[in-house]
Amino acid sequence: MTAPGLAAPDAAAAGDAVPVDAAWILQAVARPAPSRTGFVELRDSPMLKQPLRLEGEYRREADDRLVRQVRVPYAETTTLAGGEAVVERAGRAPRRLALRQVPELAAVQAGFGALLAGDAELLRQTYMLEASGSRGQWQLRLLPRDPRLAAALQRIDLHGRDAELRCVENHPAKGPPQRTLMGTAAEAAAGVADAAALAALCHGDGTR
């Protein structure tokens, strides 16, 4: 007999195999504000022997500001709100940038920010959505509608399991993909330095 509140194994497995669409994913990953999640970001470049690894936290504040706080290997806070990005580092004056001048940051606000807010309309205004996989392991591909954004960003692939967004994979128009592991994927990346293993965690091929 199954304990109250727990699905039987066969039922859970069947649920994991249910195909997903974009609407299900957007509803599943939305988080009421305020919310926060840890991240491990990997920035790759032909000039680097191994990807630059950043660790920190994303926060969505009650007033809808999106905050990206880097803690390792340096301290930096970027706040996205009102069409503007404010970048702060200790000992330096804050830098203010209009998001229309920085397509990559605009993509973060219109993509990740809209996901957390559950703002499907904003997301669809900015991107075409292509969902694949099942509830147990899914992918949502975001394709920029604006040619100016597409000139800098080819696409964003979101990877998740059940109601958890585990990885955001940005594919720039030029250069290698940049990956941001989140939640349990970021926790599983602790102490992992191998690029292939980190990519597997992003794609859902690593351990939970």
Side-chain angles (χ1 to χ4, degrees):
M1 183 173 180
T2 304
L6 297 178
D10 289 348
D16 284 349
V18 174
V20 296
D21 56 20
W24 183 89
I25 294 173
L26 295 179
Q27 183 178 18
V29 302
R31 296 291 180 268
S35 63
R36 59 179 59 197
T37 183
F39 74 81
V40 172
E41 182 176 309
L42 307 166
R43 294 184 179 178
D44 204 355
S45 168
M47 300 178 65
L48 299 174
K49 291 183 178 180
Q50 61 183 23
L52 174 64
R53 182 185 180 118
L54 307 178
E55 298 181 20
E57 179 182 72
Y58 272 108
R59 299 196 308 272
R60 179 170 164 256
E61 306 288 9
D63 59 4
D64 255 1
R65 288 180 302 152
L66 183 63
V67 179
R68 176 180 177 275
Q69 186 171 21
V70 178
R71 295 181 179 140
V72 178
Y74 53 80
E76 179 183 86
T77 301
T78 303
T79 303
L80 306 180
E84 182 180 63
V86 180
V87 183
E88 300 172 276
R89 281 198 186 187
R92 300 183 184 180
R95 288 189 299 140
R96 296 181 178 275
L97 305 167
L99 290 182
R100 65 177 181 275
Q101 297 175 342
V102 191
E104 296 83 355
L105 288 178
V108 170
Q109 185 178 46
F112 183 52
L115 279 169
L116 292 181
D119 192 340
E121 182 178 351
L122 173 59
L123 201 64
R124 293 182 186 279
Q125 285 176 0
T126 310
Y127 300 100
M128 294 178 288
L129 310 182
E130 296 179 356
S132 61
S134 66
R135 294 184 180 184
Q137 185 166 324
W138 50 262
Q139 175 182 293
L140 182 63
R141 176 162 292 179
L142 311 182
L143 300 167
R145 293 183 182 276
D146 188 334
R148 293 173 299 176
L149 179 56
L153 179 68
Q154 183 184 80
R155 70 178 192 272
I156 300 175
D157 289 337
L158 308 175
H159 301 272
R161 288 179 177 171
D162 303 313
E164 183 186 27
L165 173 62
R166 291 170 53 88
C167 185
V168 179
E169 192 172 42
N170 288 280
H171 291 261
K174 297 180 181 179
Q178 312 296 319
R179 299 183 177 98
T180 301
L181 305 175
M182 309 180 71
T184 57
E187 294 171 7
V192 178
D194 180 72
L198 291 167
L201 280 174
C202 176
H203 296 154
D205 301 327
T207 57
R208 286 184 180 267

